[in-house]
Amino acid sequence: MTVGIWILGDRLTAKQLSLQNNQKHKQQTPVIFIESGNYVMQRPYHQQKLVLLWSAMRHFAEELKADGWQVTYEIAADFQTPLRNWLERHQITELQITTPCDRPFQKLIQSLDLDCKITFLPDNHFLWSSEEFISWAKSRKRLLMEDFYREGRKRFKILLDGKKPVGGKWNYDSQNRKPPKKSLTTPPPLTFEPDEITRSVINWVQQEQFSDYGKIEPFNWAVTAEQARQVLAYFVEKCLAQFGTYQDAMVTGEYTMWHGLISPYLNLGLLEPMEVIDAIETAYYQQELPLNSVEGFIRQVMGWREYMHGIYHYQSEDYAQNNWFAHKRPLPEFYWDASQTKMNCLHQTLTQVEATAYGHHIQRLMVLNNFALIAGVSPQVIENWFHSAFIDAYDWVMQTNVIGMGQFADGGILASKPYAASANYINKMSDYCSDCQYNKSDRTGAKACPFNFFYWDFLNRHRDRLKSLGRMNLVLSHIKRISDEELAEITNLAEEWWERELSNPLRG
Ligand code: SF4
């Protein structure tokens, strides 16, 4: 029997089982990497996402070659053709692959016509395997991220003082919601000049025109595990101390604030989750960093990231089709072109995404997702956009984050209430409103902020449905203070906004 290994683009780690198990015979074990042009053209991916993926793949292939593996690197239209040729050339009888995180990709592999046995090996890139999460979930009456996170802290003995949480509390989120101050001095992100490999990928993506979304340059992302570890070290040294306090703040022109920019590397396999958690915890003990920052960051990796992955596999495949509010509106054109909106919060955030393929969690949740939710955009449509636009987005991340968290389309499996907000929240947590042509305080009238009329229209449209969520009752009670005449005007403004959007000549 001859074993061959197919390394998938989002598992660029020597720790995966296929490589570990065949380490002793690496010189005789064929390994293949494939870039498929057809596959990436399924969506208008941000160009930097394609460059990161393919450059990181090409770098990892070189590393395996230097380590003595028998590596084949194919750039092709599809996966099947190069796979079949390679299987035949090396007389491979068993193809080993790390189980893909994304269900559609696993199906694609199963649909390939390959003349060999296919073995999916467990994905060891998460702290909790899918089976462990499912068994935890089945033992619970309620599925709460906070419960899961605490379980993880205990299981992996992170930030514990005996059996108790360090500092006496499990969660310091209440200290992590400070609005931005007038003048903040933030560290610049650590950037990397594209090397020869990255440059050739940039040229390839431009030449083949796989996508026209987003700016391809400047491309500053890390593309190897070594560089990703530098990003982690830089974050610990320069950003972690302030990270927590201002993690929800949004400031014009500040693309990264004190955020870690770690997620693209975690999701590609360039960093291991426990490696990240260990680095943060060690820094806490050695440098006496603020606990709210340290705990807040560990919660993102050990709590949210693991929880989203677990829920994705716990839920059935049709989770992606959920649409609790029955929202059907198309995606506003400006999501693909920031210059098309005068709403400054959206304009700034979308301009940033076009330039970097990145936005932090509050920009994603409370600006981009929030607007789509209150305006009634189809959850599937906005999920597709997030999946295409963000550098760290995959099916498993975006279904839970967008369908569940951002759009509340699952009716409350992930969140206990919809993350819907008016301009009030955006004004509190950013400086966007001070430079906007709309008035943050108006919900009707010529200068009414669309976040305001859409917010009240959303609550009014769905008031019966929202009553079933206990946590919405206080918010809903505020509608009673709005007169019928004003509510009618709010509805009109929302409808007129959509009429204008749908008649936009730029719409395809
Ligand atoms: Fe956004 Fe409204 Fe603020 Fe303008 S006023 S930045 S549209 S929330």
Side-chain angles (χ1 to χ4, degrees), residues 409-448:
D410 63 8
I413 293 170
L414 253 163
S416 53
K417 70 179 182 64
Y419 284 89
S422 65
N424 203 18
Y425 177 87
I426 294 172
N427 183 46
K428 185 175 137 210
M429 294 310 298
S430 78
D431 64 354
Y432 296 146
C433 299
S434 58
D435 196 19
C436 184
Q437 73 161 45
Y438 296 105
N439 190 330
K440 63 183 190 310
S441 308
D442 291 358
R443 59 188 173 209
T444 53
K447 291 205 155 205

Side-chain angles (χ1 to χ4, degrees), residues 34-284:
I34 308 168
E35 292 176 16
S36 161
N38 290 352
Y39 186 75
V40 302
M41 286 174 81
Q42 292 180 114
R43 298 169 193 275
Y45 283 115
H46 196 296
Q47 296 189 73
Q48 289 192 34
K49 184 170 181 171
L50 298 181
V51 176
L52 173 64
L53 173 73
W54 286 342
S55 177
M57 279 171 68
R58 292 183 194 188
H59 279 92
F60 186 55
E62 290 300 319
E63 287 171 22
L64 289 188
K65 246 188 241 175
D67 191 37
W69 293 87
Q70 216 186 121
V71 176
T72 298
Y73 198 99
E74 295 282 356
I75 298 171
D78 61 5
F79 290 115
Q80 180 160 298
T81 314
L83 268 176
R84 283 181 71 94
N85 293 340
W86 171 76
L87 291 170
E88 199 182 317
R89 203 162 59 241
H90 294 279
Q91 300 287 297
I92 292 164
T93 49
E94 181 187 348
L95 177 60
Q96 295 193 355
I97 311 169
T98 299
T99 307
C101 245
D102 287 357
R103 286 193 188 112
F105 200 76
Q106 180 156 16
K107 280 196 162 171
L108 181 147
I109 295 174
Q110 284 160 338
S111 73
L112 297 175
D113 181 17
L114 302 178
D115 197 13
C116 72
K117 176 183 170 199
I118 297 179
T119 305
F120 287 108
L121 295 170
D123 180 12
N124 57 0
H125 188 56
F126 287 88
L127 300 173
W128 294 72
S129 69
S130 305
E131 294 72 25
E132 285 168 339
F133 183 89
I134 289 167
S135 128
W136 173 84
K138 283 188 172 159
S139 71
R140 315 289 306 175
K141 278 199 183 126
R142 55 177 199 178
L143 283 184
L144 275 189
M145 195 293 285
E146 186 63 25
D147 294 344
F148 171 73
Y149 164 60
R150 291 180 189 186
E151 193 79 19
R153 291 263 301 272
K154 289 183 218 155
R155 177 177 168 192
F156 297 101
K157 301 189 173 42
I158 300 298
L159 291 181
L160 283 191
D161 188 0
K163 289 186 174 172
K164 297 203 171 127
V166 166
K169 278 167 47 177
W170 290 101
N171 185 319
Y172 290 84
D173 210 24
S174 57
Q175 294 174 30
N176 289 356
R177 295 181 194 134
K178 276 238 166 82
K181 280 199 254 172
K182 279 258 174 306
S183 56
L184 289 172
T185 312
T186 56
L190 183 63
T191 56
F192 299 87
E193 273 296 304
D195 63 7
E196 209 177 305
I197 293 179
T198 303
R199 197 112 298 287
S200 72
V201 181
I202 290 173
N203 293 339
W204 174 241
V205 170
Q206 281 175 323
Q207 178 196 311
E208 296 298 311
Q209 299 180 338
F210 292 109
S211 167
D212 60 1
Y213 177 65
K215 291 193 167 55
I216 199 163
E217 293 193 87
F219 179 90
N220 293 320
W221 296 96
V223 291
T224 64
E226 170 54 32
Q227 290 179 339
R229 281 196 282 274
Q230 289 176 38
V231 175
L232 175 60
Y234 183 86
F235 170 66
V236 170
E237 190 194 331
K238 306 269 189 199
C239 313
L240 182 56
Q242 291 282 4
F243 161 78
T245 309
Y246 296 108
Q247 66 168 303
D248 289 0
M250 299 173 281
V251 179
T252 303
E254 289 276 356
Y255 286 4
T256 52
M257 305 281 286
W258 286 276
H259 287 270
L261 311 182
I262 301 290
S263 55
Y265 313 125
L266 273 172
N267 292 355
L268 282 176
L270 298 179
L271 288 174
E272 297 292 330
M274 196 46 93
E275 171 185 17
V276 173
I277 292 166
D278 278 346
I280 306 297
E281 191 185 29
T282 303
Y284 170 68

